Amino acid sequence: MMLKGRESLIRLVGRRRRFLRRRSLITSSVPQIGYKEDKDEVNTESGNGNGDEQWVDCPVCGAKVRGEEPVINSHLDKCLARGTKRKLSQCTLFQLKFCARPKVTASFIDSDLTRTEFGSSANDGNIPVLASEMRNSDVSKNNVQDESSSSSVSLTLATSRSNILTRNSSLCSRVDRAENLDGLPDFDDECKSLSGAKSMQIVGLEGFPHHQISDDKIDNFTGSPLSLSENRTPTYVEPLEDDDNSKILLDTFIVGRKFADDTELIIGAMVMLSRDSENVKDPNAIKVLTKDTGHSKELGFIPRELAQYVSPLIDNFQMTFEGHITSIPRHPHAVVPIQIYSSSIASFGEKDSSSFQEFNSFRKNALCAAEFSKTHPPVPAKYQHNLLLLLKEVLKINAHLFAEGEKTLLKAFLSLSDDSQRLFARLYARKGPWFRTASISYAEICDYKEAVKGLSEAECVTLFESIDKLQIGDLMEVLDVLNVGELRDLYSLNKSHKKIVRNSDHGTRKQDYIARLLGAYESGLCPNLQSMILRKTGSCIRISALAESVFWRAERLFFLNGEQDLSAFLLVDLGIVKYPAYNCIFTDQIFPDRSDLLSYEEAIEVAQVMDESLDENNNELVSRCIEISASQVSSFVEEDRSSHFGSMTAFLSCFSASWVYSKVILLGVSFLEHERRYKDAIDLLKLLLVKFKSDRRRGYWTLRLSIDLEHVGCLDESLEVAEKGLLDSWVRAGCIVALQRRVLRLGKPPRRWKTPSFSNSINRKIVEVQGRPVNCKTGVKNVFYGEDGERCGVEDLALEYYAGEGGRWQGVHTESGIWLTIFGLLMWDIVFADVPNVFRTKFQTAPLDLETDSFYEVRKGLVEGFLDKIEHGMAEELLIMSWESHMGTVCRGVKWDKHSLSELRAAVTCIGGPCLASICRNLAQDYRSWSSGMPDLLLWRFHDEYRGEAKLVEVKGPRDRLSEQQRAWLLFLIDCGFNVEVCKVSHSPI
């Protein structure tokens, strides 16, 4: 059974991180290896200093350390990196409160800000990047105010973690090589889409003038990195009367070699172009064929950026092109340089100025595209380009969140060869963590040794080439590289286990062998296990802890969630997903300074440990995660939220550490309830209700608190909690109904003598009808047999009933699906309206504030204007326009493949304007609370061509009952004037 809150936590965590510093701290074990000791660290272990300074005891080695955050963290990094054992009498870092947490108020001063460039010229983008003033080491410049010494130490721990990541003194020797990045391709220009461009703006960042990235970097991604922007390549060129129409000479490339015939290439070999208009991915596609007297073989395609201009010359002007191969690449799937020229004269038919104008426009643009490709050759590995684009976008907007050591690593990575970057991107996307170097094989990587060497020098990877590099944790991971047969061989080499091996040579799982080998190693029965592993695996490679942390952070900052990763680019590149067009307008940073980000990341790590511990049934570690989260939330003061986020709107508070910890606590409540530890669950729920006064989850927390109090026999307090919950403006939808029903049940005399005012409303009778199976046979667990004798669900059976004896209704089993689709289509322009801060990346399917009160409040004028049109009968027209304009574009709630336009039009027409406007207003005001629990069936029938009626039906099987959310929807729909009923399907008598 999935615990309540588990699925949400899994989505929040997303891709699990390989290296968790937090796990080692939680379990009080030695942290993962891979963190380098800071060679330049100033000696701070002496206890000398002036009397005004605060000195604390190191929880690891016990030495006296000056009570300044940089000094504390630097010392801790040093202790932890060299594996110093923590004294058993000492507290862990999470139990220790050795330094007051500062309250940071960042004040951005225009004159103090400097620009940090990564791979672009000084004029590129004109995007201000918060520089050294925002770094953690200079927090004292930003109006720091100390709180009490009892405050949480999460900021200190966050800084400690960041310092470990920033210790990269060995990278500094390579800065010269990476310092001048102006020679790198300008990804801003290369990745502009060809149509529908929207803009990204950074508006008013603490007094800055308006800044705009006037390109559409990620809207479509239909092309390769050399996509031509509209301001580079004109779509219209004035005709030149004296042009020689027969002369077109183009230098270009053959791409898509891996999809072509396996043909040996020869320099000077003749080729010709052939249209491929049936290509489903590109109707302008042009194939490159060998020019043989016999059967021509396909070599690949010309780049689509060139094909879009050459294809009209072939189709409309009957031109033919041929050419020859100019050089042969080393790798068989690499792009092949060719030179092509027109071998025929353009045919114009009846000569007129428009024909000349069109021809010259296509010809000039083809020449421009070919010229552009000379300096920007096609990148065969699009994933490499996507990764570089992601890094550069993040560094433009969030450079202030990276420490100098992390920036140094990223600059070193950007200066690496294509092979090194591609190898890293490949390894980063795989599960790992260890990979055999000998088994790595990718067609687009030419020189593996040089690629690995470059990554190793940049400290992006860790190599396993000698037995002195592994600790016990690494041994387990490296053993996972071996297959069962190899593990069995290793186990059999240990003579003391030969008898066991004979008896269990087959049928033993991989993890069993790993556990036994590690057990033999730790007990001393197999002391040479490391050398045995090395002989089996050979050289191994993995992403380094530092690189994994930095790239994970960049990915998280780019997508702002754990559900998306670099594969989102691939889905766009393949045309599988098309994101909507909207403007990204920034007025506030999500993370004003680095300490906020690191606290958030550490909370995410605790959430991941919680999730992993539940998978492993490690109840002790689950309890520890709950304890840590509760401790962090206890120190949270909600009143400080506005000052903490500056002018940031409240909906962005979900990117705070306290919000993540509250998710862990909520899952902890479910865990404790499942364990019947109701008193502990009650304490956590009370903590949440005290600390989060303005949270949409208060309804569920209040309901669970009332229920758990009843479990422990505190009926009076349970009733009191329910009554107070009804007065809370944050308790909504199904939670209100549930609490009202609890008050009516618990509040009977002698506890309460007065009947609540909502009694009549909540006890309203909902119309019920008795639906019966058409066939006399019944299945099990609400599975029935329909008219055709096939097994079907209870909802499908109800549809058959209403289509027949129930009144000849048409309809769909949709629950919330059709309503959210109608809402998304009708309110499309409002959902994607220009509102600051709600769109932070071009991979969003909805604004960040959709599920908050802010959505309606900020757009109230727009929403009410659209609802007025809907109420006065324009819904069908708006629906058709939106469908035709946005067909196939992803949008939260819109299911293009579930409902046809004809179904949606019929539903909208029969529902009527006033009722439809009421539902849309309800969703706009509180999408989160009302986006689930809608009736199962939407039915309609027409009286004539323009008029009809609709009915909403909740279907229940013999053993089903209405949930409180479903009951809330039915009562709301009745108030709006809908025809609503509950259909109870029962078994047929035998």
Side-chain angles (χ1 to χ4, degrees):
M1 181 186 70
M2 179 75 76
L3 295 175
K4 175 71 174 180
R6 179 79 186 278
E7 186 177 350
S8 176
L9 192 79
I10 292 173
R11 290 196 303 269
L12 173 66
V13 172
R15 171 181 173 175
R16 290 179 175 178
R17 301 180 66 177
R18 298 186 180 101
F19 303 98
L20 285 183
R21 176 76 188 281
R22 188 88 174 193
R23 172 182 276 278
S24 63
L25 293 172
I26 291 173
T27 57
S28 302
S29 63
V30 179
Q32 296 275 0
I33 64 169
Y35 299 105
K36 288 192 171 293
E37 181 176 337
D38 186 7
K39 298 178 181 179
D40 300 326
E41 180 183 10
V42 179
N43 183 7
T44 60
E45 297 184 12
S46 64
N48 300 326
N50 61 52
D52 294 333
E53 294 179 336
Q54 180 185 6
W55 290 81
V56 297
D57 293 327
C58 173
V60 181
C61 68
K64 289 287 186 181
V65 184
R66 192 166 66 248
E68 297 177 1
E69 284 182 13
V71 175
I72 293 173
N73 295 318
S74 178
H75 176 83
L76 285 176
D77 293 348
K78 189 173 183 178
C79 286
L80 295 173
R82 64 174 173 244
T84 305
K85 296 293 185 180
R86 180 179 63 85
K87 295 182 179 180
L88 295 179
S89 60
Q90 294 271 348
C91 298
T92 63
L93 291 181
F94 286 148
Q95 296 167 332
L96 188 70
K97 296 183 178 180
F98 52 82
C99 187
R101 178 177 181 175
K103 176 182 177 183
V104 180
T105 305
S107 57
F108 308 139
I109 303 175
D110 206 343
S111 60
D112 292 339
L113 291 169
T114 58
R115 177 94 191 268
T116 304
E117 297 287 337
F118 287 88
S120 60
S121 64
N123 296 327
D124 183 22
N126 296 322
I127 304 300
V129 178
L130 307 182
S132 59
E133 286 75 12
M134 296 305 300
R135 296 179 195 134
N136 193 54
S137 60
D138 293 329
V139 164
S140 59
K141 298 179 182 179
N142 295 322
N143 301 334
V144 178
Q145 300 174 356
D146 290 337
E147 295 179 346
S148 65
S149 60
S150 62
S151 299
S152 167
V153 297
S154 61
L155 178 59
T156 301
L157 295 174
T159 312
S160 174
R161 182 177 178 278
S162 70
N163 287 347
I164 289 179
L165 297 178
T166 60
R167 307 290 196 256
N168 275 310
S169 57
S170 59
L171 283 177
C172 295
S173 61
R174 291 189 301 279
V175 172
D176 292 339
R177 176 163 58 90
E179 193 169 16
N180 184 6
L181 299 177
D182 288 340
L184 292 173
D186 189 344
F187 298 106
D188 293 342
D189 294 332
E190 291 176 4
C191 296
K192 294 178 182 178
S193 293
L194 299 177
S195 62
K198 287 271 187 175
S199 65
M200 180 181 293
Q201 296 177 350
I202 301 181
V203 180
L205 273 177
E206 301 295 337
F208 286 110
H210 290 212
H211 301 276
Q212 177 171 319
I213 307 173
S214 57
D215 57 355
D216 187 17
K217 295 184 179 62
I218 315 170
D219 272 350
N220 297 312
F221 273 91
T222 54
S224 70
L226 58 83
S227 299
L228 301 177
S229 62
E230 294 180 0
N231 60 355
R232 274 181 178 265
T233 307
T235 57
Y236 167 75
V237 178
E238 289 291 341
L240 301 177
E241 298 297 339
D242 57 346
D243 281 345
D244 186 346
N245 298 331
S246 65
K247 294 181 180 179
I248 299 180
L249 182 65
L250 303 171
D251 290 308
T252 185
F253 303 88
I254 304 176
V255 298
R257 290 279 297 141
K258 63 181 179 180
F259 304 109
D261 299 331
D262 187 12
T263 305
E264 182 180 359
L265 302 178
I266 302 173
I267 295 180
M270 298 298 293
V271 297
M272 62 182 182
L273 304 187
S274 174
R275 282 283 284 116
D276 185 15
S277 57
E278 301 300 322
N279 191 302
V280 294
K281 292 186 177 180
D282 182 12
N284 295 318
I286 298 177
K287 295 186 289 187
V288 181
L289 308 176
T290 59
K291 190 178 180 182
D292 299 331
T293 55
H295 177 67
S296 297
K297 294 184 178 181
E298 183 177 328
L299 300 179
F301 299 82
I302 66 172
R304 67 172 62 189
E305 292 74 29
L306 178 60
Q308 65 178 322
Y309 301 118
V310 175
S311 58
L313 297 176
I314 298 175
D315 295 341
N316 302 339
F317 301 99
Q318 290 74 51
M319 297 192 71
T320 57
F321 291 85
E322 58 185 45
H324 63 276
I325 298 173
T326 57
S327 65
I328 306 297
R330 292 175 58 186
H331 196 278
H333 292 167
V335 297
V336 180
I338 60 174
Q339 186 179 78
I340 59 175
Y341 52 87
S342 56
S343 56
S344 64
I345 300 176
S347 173
F348 292 96
E350 295 183 6
K351 293 186 177 181
D352 55 41
S353 59
S354 62
S355 296
F356 279 113
Q357 178 178 314
E358 183 182 7
F359 171 79
N360 277 305
S361 177
F362 285 124
R363 189 185 72 146
K364 293 293 185 183
N365 286 331
L367 292 170
C368 184
E371 186 65 27
F372 180 85
S373 67
K374 289 181 180 179
T375 55
H376 299 79
V379 178
K382 188 65 181 287
Y383 63 86
Q384 173 200 6
H385 172 264
N386 293 338
L387 176 59
L388 298 179
L389 172 64
L390 181 149
L391 293 177
K392 187 158 187 217
E393 274 301 296
V394 169
L395 287 171
K396 275 188 173 182
I397 308 299
N398 298 292
H400 65 289
L401 300 177
F402 291 86
E404 288 304 316
E406 295 165 348
K407 293 177 184 178
T408 301
L409 181 137
L410 291 174
K411 290 174 71 175
F413 177 82
L414 291 172
S415 69
L416 291 175
S417 66
D418 286 343
D419 282 349
S420 293
Q421 292 176 349
R422 293 169 190 169
L423 178 59
F424 181 90
R426 287 287 195 177
L427 297 181
Y428 182 76
R430 292 175 61 179
K431 183 178 178 181
W434 286 97
F435 308 94
R436 296 185 185 186
T437 306
S439 65
I440 297 175
S441 177
Y442 299 107
E444 68 274 18
I445 299 175
C446 301
D447 193 331
Y448 285 96
K449 290 185 178 180
E450 287 300 316
V452 172
K453 180 181 178 182
L455 289 173
S456 180
E457 290 176 353
E459 296 191 6
C460 292
V461 297
T462 300
L463 296 176
F464 166 44
E465 296 174 324
S466 60
I467 62 174
D468 60 344
K469 294 292 182 70
L470 292 182
Q471 296 183 10
I472 189 66
D474 301 304
L475 280 176
M476 181 182 296
E477 295 174 345
V478 175
L479 281 170
D480 197 51
V481 173
L482 302 175
N483 57 41
V484 175
E486 291 171 323
L487 288 170
R488 188 184 299 120
D489 292 342
L490 276 180
Y491 195 54
S492 64
L493 289 176
N494 187 1
K495 295 182 179 180
S496 62
H497 292 80
K498 277 192 174 181
K499 185 176 180 180
I500 300 176
V501 173
R502 291 193 191 99
N503 294 335
S504 59
D505 214 15
H506 301 286
T508 304
R509 297 181 307 168
K510 181 176 182 179
Q511 295 305 318
D512 294 333
Y513 277 119
I514 293 176
R516 292 178 184 180
L517 285 168
L518 290 175
Y521 175 73
E522 290 181 316
S523 62
L525 295 176
C526 187
N528 59 339
L529 179 61
Q530 292 187 356
S531 59
M532 294 164 61
I533 294 175
L534 184 60
R535 285 196 295 270
K536 279 287 183 183
T537 63
S539 176
C540 292
I541 186 174
R542 76 173 181 189
I543 303 294
S544 69
L546 174 61
E548 194 274 344
S549 179
V550 173
F551 279 80
W552 180 90
R553 175 179 300 157
E555 200 172 51
R556 192 86 183 195
L557 288 171
F558 185 85
F559 291 108
L560 293 177
N561 61 69
E563 299 180 80
Q564 291 177 301
D565 53 26
L566 285 168
S567 62
F569 284 93
L570 178 63
L571 296 176
V572 175
D573 294 337
L574 297 177
I576 298 174
V577 175
K578 179 183 178 184
Y579 286 92
Y582 45 76
N583 289 322
C584 296
I585 304 172
F586 304 153
T587 61
D588 293 287
Q589 294 282 358
I590 289 183
F591 301 101
D593 57 50
R594 180 177 168 83
S595 64
D596 296 313
L597 173 64
L598 296 181
S599 298
Y600 175 76
E601 287 182 352
E602 288 182 356
I604 294 290
E605 290 187 4
V606 173
Q608 178 175 330
V609 174
M610 177 77 164
D611 183 39
E612 292 173 348
S613 303
L614 288 171
D615 283 343
E616 300 163 2
N617 294 319
N618 188 338
N619 291 352
E620 182 180 353
L621 197 51
V622 168
S623 298
R624 182 66 180 132
C625 290
I626 297 172
E627 178 187 344
I628 292 171
S629 300
S631 174
Q632 297 295 329
V633 169
S634 296
S635 64
F636 167 66
V637 181
E638 190 178 35
E639 285 73 22
D640 288 344
R641 178 181 295 183
S642 59
S643 61
H644 181 68
F645 288 98
S647 60
M648 183 181 296
T649 45
F651 67 85
L652 292 179
S653 62
C654 64
F655 296 103
S656 65
S658 59
W659 187 85
V660 178
Y661 286 127
S662 71
K663 302 277 283 187
V664 177
I665 292 176
L666 179 57
L667 179 55
V669 168
S670 299
F671 169 78
L672 295 172
E673 290 175 339
H674 187 261
E675 297 287 316
R676 300 185 182 277
R677 295 165 55 185
Y678 297 115
K679 290 185 178 180
D680 293 333
I682 288 171
D683 291 338
L684 292 178
L685 288 167
K686 288 182 177 179
L687 174 65
L688 291 174
L689 288 168
V690 167
K691 290 298 180 180
F692 297 91
K693 300 292 187 183
S694 304
D695 196 294
R696 62 176 182 265
R697 297 168 293 173
R698 287 181 60 85
Y700 179 77
W701 298 342
T702 303
L703 178 61
R704 293 313 307 173
L705 178 58
S706 179
I707 293 173
D708 289 344
L709 286 168
E710 185 178 4
H711 282 313
V712 297
C714 301
L715 299 183
D716 290 335
E717 187 179 358
S718 175
L719 175 58
E720 184 179 351
V721 167
E723 290 174 333
K724 287 183 178 179
L726 294 177
L727 302 176
D728 192 335
S729 61
W730 291 93
V731 178
R732 302 167 182 175
C735 292
I736 286 184
V737 175
L739 290 174
Q740 287 175 337
R741 289 166 60 83
R742 287 190 64 78
V743 169
L744 291 176
R745 182 172 62 83
L746 296 174
K748 296 177 181 178
R751 290 194 186 92
R752 300 290 186 274
W753 293 95
K754 184 178 180 181
T755 303
S757 59
F758 53 77
S759 176
N760 292 333
S761 174
I762 200 68
N763 288 323
R764 278 179 292 174
K765 189 69 176 177
I766 301 172
V767 177
E768 296 183 0
V769 298
Q770 199 73 12
R772 307 181 67 85
V774 180
N775 198 308
C776 292
K777 298 181 180 179
T778 60
V780 293
K781 199 174 181 179
N782 293 346
V783 178
F784 298 88
Y785 290 87
E787 284 183 321
D788 55 2
E790 297 294 328
R791 289 163 61 94
C792 64
V794 66
E795 294 86 4
D796 298 320
L797 192 62
L799 281 174
E800 291 182 358
Y801 165 77
Y802 282 103
E805 61 184 277
R808 301 191 179 281
W809 294 88
Q810 301 178 53
V812 290
H813 169 215
T814 176
E815 298 181 2
S816 302
I818 195 168
W819 298 107
L820 299 184
T821 297
I822 291 174
F823 175 81
L825 291 174
L826 291 178
M827 310 290 283
W828 191 287
D829 291 339
I830 296 175
V831 170
F832 298 105
D834 291 345
V835 176
N837 297 316
V838 300
F839 294 108
R840 314 286 302 199
T841 165
K842 287 295 183 179
F843 288 88
Q844 291 179 224
T845 61
L848 294 176
D849 67 342
L850 177 62
E851 297 185 352
T852 69
D853 292 355
S854 168
F855 180 82
Y856 178 78
E857 293 169 359
V858 172
R859 306 165 181 83
K860 184 174 181 180
L862 291 173
V863 171
E864 292 300 331
F866 263 76
L867 294 180
D868 185 66
K869 294 179 180 179
I870 293 171
E871 195 166 349
H872 287 84
M874 295 183 62
E876 185 177 6
E877 179 183 348
L878 294 172
L879 181 76
I880 295 172
M881 291 173 57
S882 183
W883 179 281
E884 293 176 347
S885 301
H886 309 296
M887 176 62 181
T889 303
V890 291
C891 172
R892 179 86 57 84
V894 176
K895 307 294 183 184
W896 297 101
D897 56 338
K898 294 293 185 182
H899 308 286
S900 65
L901 178 58
S902 59
E903 287 179 342
L904 298 175
R905 291 178 62 185
V908 166
T909 301
C910 293
I911 291 169
C915 290
L916 186 58
S918 298
I919 289 183
C920 288
R921 180 178 288 106
N922 205 34
L923 288 171
Q925 290 176 340
D926 195 352
Y927 191 92
R928 172 80 175 188
S929 300
W930 293 101
S931 58
S932 62
M934 298 181 184
D936 294 310
L937 306 183
L938 171 59
L939 307 174
W940 64 82
R941 60 186 177 189
F942 283 94
H943 300 312
D944 54 39
E945 188 175 353
Y946 302 104
R947 294 184 306 109
E949 62 176 320
K951 177 185 289 189
L952 298 173
V953 180
E954 183 65 41
V955 184
K956 291 299 173 186
R959 294 178 293 275
D960 296 336
R961 65 178 183 177
L962 289 173
S963 70
E964 306 298 358
Q965 180 70 11
Q966 291 169 343
R967 191 179 299 273
W969 257 114
L970 293 175
L971 295 176
F972 168 79
L973 293 170
I974 291 173
D975 291 338
C976 292
F978 275 92
N979 181 2
V980 178
E981 63 187 31
V982 177
C983 176
K984 292 190 174 180
V985 180
S986 61
H987 295 292
S988 290
I990 299 177

